[in-house]
Amino acid sequence: MSVGRYQAYPEYKDSGIAWLGDMPKTWELRKAKHLFERVQRPVRESDGIVTAFRDGQVTLRSNRREDGFTNAVKEIGYQGVRNGDLLVHAMDGFAGAIGVSDSDGKCSPVCAVCTPWDMSQIDIRYYGYLVRQLAVTDYITSLAKGIRERSTEFRFSEFSGLELALPTKCEQTQIAAFLDHETAKIDRLIEKQQALISLLKEKRQAVISQAVTKGLNPHAPLRDSGIEWLGQVPAHWEISKFGYISSVVRGGSPRPAGDPTLFNGDYSPWVTVAEITKDDEVYLTQTETFLTKKGSDQCRIFASGTLVLSNSGATLGVPKILRIDANANDGVVGFEKLTLNHEYAYHYLSTLTDDIRERTKQGSGQPNLNTDIVKTIAIPIPPDAEAEQIVAEISRLRQRFTDLMDQATAGITLLQERRTALISAAVTGKIDVRHWQPPHSTFAA
């Protein structure tokens, strides 16, 4: 028997464990509490914070990023971590936040810090792969739900009762080395696909920007737009501002905020900044939340077909075209009575999103785009027929880029599935890697 291009062990026996199934005849089973102890070391002054991330990396926060974390005012219960410790995150363990730390530091009490009772029996890298595999294949989720209704907590008390495979230490080391090498190859391929998607998005935006500022005819005479950041535009195009070609109206929120008689109803779709910015689709066809009639009556309703723009928050300046009649909150502005092709205006605004503060001459501390600022945004305007041609060409190109990105995304999904299957096969003994050797190129590196 073989699994893919790898051979199976010559003999198996029933483990009696559902997730493990048949295991190599020479392997044993041990409860986690007989293999690992939970340690609680004192914290040193120089220790940085170690975090168990959902992708399985356990490292200093500073190795990943500096912002986006919630820091405790008082580090109550923090414990020392050493390179090579196994960390099990009580709250996020079910989602994969389990692994072996690559750093010395300290962690919050939400993590169990585990070390082997007997180092002569345990290669902790193998168990980092094994226990995390139980998480990503949802075994830990099912276990936690059985212990505590509607909970996915996975504390040391739950971990300690797990029956774990116990190959020889030599086999553990070999399996870990094999997986280190093979998963690194897969991860590099995934990174290449992710880089390709980013490149395609950049290329798509560049093509759109070129179309809405220079047109489709590369030989058309150009003239200075009079706007530094816009540069030259086709000579026969006009330059205007959104305040001249539309009525720029800010949305509004029912008051008082959070009143259950106003919100979470079923009467009118409720458009928020989050709804606008959750994807890069041109049209918004539905919302997740609705207002009650009482709440809706307090606010302006934007008609289907209205171009809207996020005017607050971190995702400032993201456009959308409504395909529903909807209320919008005060973090949204709408362009009513817009005299320009709506999709052309959408695509033009989408090219400004990343630099809209600079384009509107705002300071870095400006928290939003008020309607007066939005009215001053300059826009080049082609003749109506040309605008329609530009929109049609952009739609064709967007679809081509979408198809390419979908192919890359599908490739990532297959690689991730391959990675999960390979880890599962190796840590459960479904493939025999005892005689595996890294390619010679690895030694040469």
Side-chain angles (χ1 to χ4, degrees):
M1 182 180 75
S2 65
V3 179
R5 60 190 176 92
Y6 302 104
Q7 294 296 314
Y9 278 77
E11 293 185 90
Y12 287 86
K13 62 184 178 184
D14 183 7
S15 69
I17 306 297
W19 65 263
L20 181 56
D22 289 344
M23 68 180 187
K25 189 174 182 179
T26 57
W27 289 19
E28 299 179 19
L29 287 174
R30 292 285 190 280
K31 286 188 180 295
K33 64 183 178 183
H34 296 144
L35 299 176
F36 296 97
E37 63 172 327
R38 181 174 186 179
V39 295
Q40 291 185 300
R41 303 186 188 90
V43 172
R44 302 171 301 190
E45 187 174 346
S46 61
D47 284 336
I49 296 178
V50 170
T51 296
F53 294 91
R54 287 188 171 197
D55 62 6
Q57 185 181 29
V58 180
T59 191
L60 288 166
R61 286 184 177 181
S62 57
N63 290 340
R64 291 280 289 242
R65 62 183 190 272
E66 294 292 341
D67 56 1
F69 294 110
T70 301
N71 294 312
V73 176
K74 292 184 179 181
E75 295 178 346
I76 299 173
Y78 272 60
Q79 53 200 319
V81 177
R82 300 293 179 268
N83 187 335
D85 287 348
L86 176 67
L87 265 64
V88 179
H89 196 293
M91 307 307 295
D92 285 348
F94 75 96
I98 297 171
V100 179
S101 179
D102 63 12
S103 308
D104 287 358
K106 60 186 175 184
C107 70
S108 77
V110 76
C111 287
V113 181
C114 307
T115 59
W117 286 106
D118 183 354
M119 291 295 294
S120 68
Q121 287 193 65
I122 301 298
D123 187 315
I124 204 158
R125 296 178 303 152
Y126 167 79
Y127 286 96
Y129 279 114
L130 174 62
V131 181
R132 185 170 187 274
Q133 190 66 13
L134 297 183
V136 299
T137 55
D138 292 334
Y139 176 75
I140 285 177
T141 299
S142 65
L143 177 69
K145 285 181 177 177
I147 294 172
R148 191 178 291 108
E149 187 178 358
R150 293 187 300 278
S151 171
T152 52
E153 289 186 11
F154 186 59
R155 300 188 180 277
F156 184 76
S157 56
E158 283 88 53
F159 168 67
S160 66
L162 286 181
E163 292 274 7
L164 299 179
L166 180 63
T168 64
K169 185 177 182 181
C170 182
E171 284 176 278
Q172 295 173 34
T173 299
Q174 184 73 353
I175 291 169
F178 166 77
L179 289 175
D180 286 347
H181 182 270
E182 294 298 316
T183 58
K185 286 198 306 183
I186 294 172
D187 289 343
R188 285 193 293 271
L189 291 173
I190 290 173
E191 288 173 3
K192 287 181 179 179
Q193 293 298 300
Q194 291 170 333
L196 174 60
I197 291 172
S198 296
L199 184 63
L200 288 168
K201 286 181 178 179
E202 291 176 9
K203 178 66 174 175
R204 179 185 65 182
Q205 201 58 42
V207 167
I208 293 172
S209 180
Q210 176 72 16
V212 296
T213 59
K214 300 295 187 287
L216 303 177
N217 180 5
H219 306 295
L222 301 176
R223 67 177 175 88
D224 184 12
S225 67
I227 301 166
E228 183 179 354
W229 54 264
L230 185 55
Q232 292 188 315
V233 298
H236 62 289
W237 288 18
E238 297 179 8
I239 300 295
S240 189
K241 296 179 179 179
F242 276 99
Y244 297 144
I245 62 173
S246 69
S247 176
V248 180
V249 181
R250 185 178 180 180
S253 299
R255 294 290 185 269
D259 186 335
T261 67
L262 307 175
F263 298 89
N264 299 320
D266 58 4
Y267 179 76
S268 176
W270 178 231
V271 178
T272 63
V273 171
E275 294 281 3
I276 293 174
T277 59
K278 66 183 177 182
D279 58 43
D280 61 358
E281 295 296 325
V282 176
Y283 287 95
L284 179 65
T285 58
Q286 60 182 7
T287 61
E288 293 184 4
T289 57
F290 290 73
L291 297 181
T292 64
K293 185 178 188 308
K294 181 180 177 181
S296 177
D297 288 344
Q298 287 192 23
C299 308
R300 173 183 293 271
I301 292 181
F302 288 121
S304 177
T306 302
L307 174 66
V308 296
L309 185 76
S310 64
N311 75 330
S312 66
T315 47
L316 195 69
V318 178
K320 214 68 149 187
I321 300 175
L322 302 181
R323 272 198 169 151
I324 49 176
D325 295 342
N327 293 111
N329 74 3
D330 48 14
V332 177
V333 294
F335 300 89
E336 297 185 330
K337 302 176 184 177
L338 180 61
T339 59
L340 181 63
N341 183 296
H342 287 38
E343 284 196 34
Y344 174 87
Y346 165 89
H347 291 306
Y348 176 74
L349 285 172
S350 75
T351 69
L352 306 185
T353 299
D354 291 340
D355 300 313
I356 200 160
R357 291 187 190 278
E358 178 185 344
R359 301 292 189 251
T360 54
K361 303 298 183 185
Q362 297 185 84
S364 59
Q366 183 72 22
N368 56 49
L369 297 171
N370 61 43
T371 54
D372 288 338
I373 291 174
V374 174
K375 289 175 184 178
T376 66
I377 299 175
I379 179 169
I381 301 178
D384 290 347
E386 189 173 351
E388 290 180 8
Q389 291 173 353
I390 290 171
V391 166
E393 179 63 8
I394 288 175
S395 296
R396 185 186 69 82
L397 292 171
R398 274 177 62 92
Q399 187 58 55
R400 189 172 76 180
F401 280 110
T402 296
D403 291 343
L404 292 172
M405 287 188 284
D406 286 347
Q407 290 174 21
T409 300
I412 289 173
T413 300
L414 289 174
L415 287 167
Q416 290 171 334
E417 290 173 354
R418 166 68 176 165
R419 191 183 194 278
T420 299
L422 188 64
I423 294 172
S424 180
V427 297
T428 61
K430 301 303 182 290
I431 57 175
D432 184 354
V433 299
R434 288 176 295 178
H435 304 296
W436 173 85
Q437 292 293 328
H440 292 296
S441 59
T442 302
F443 296 113

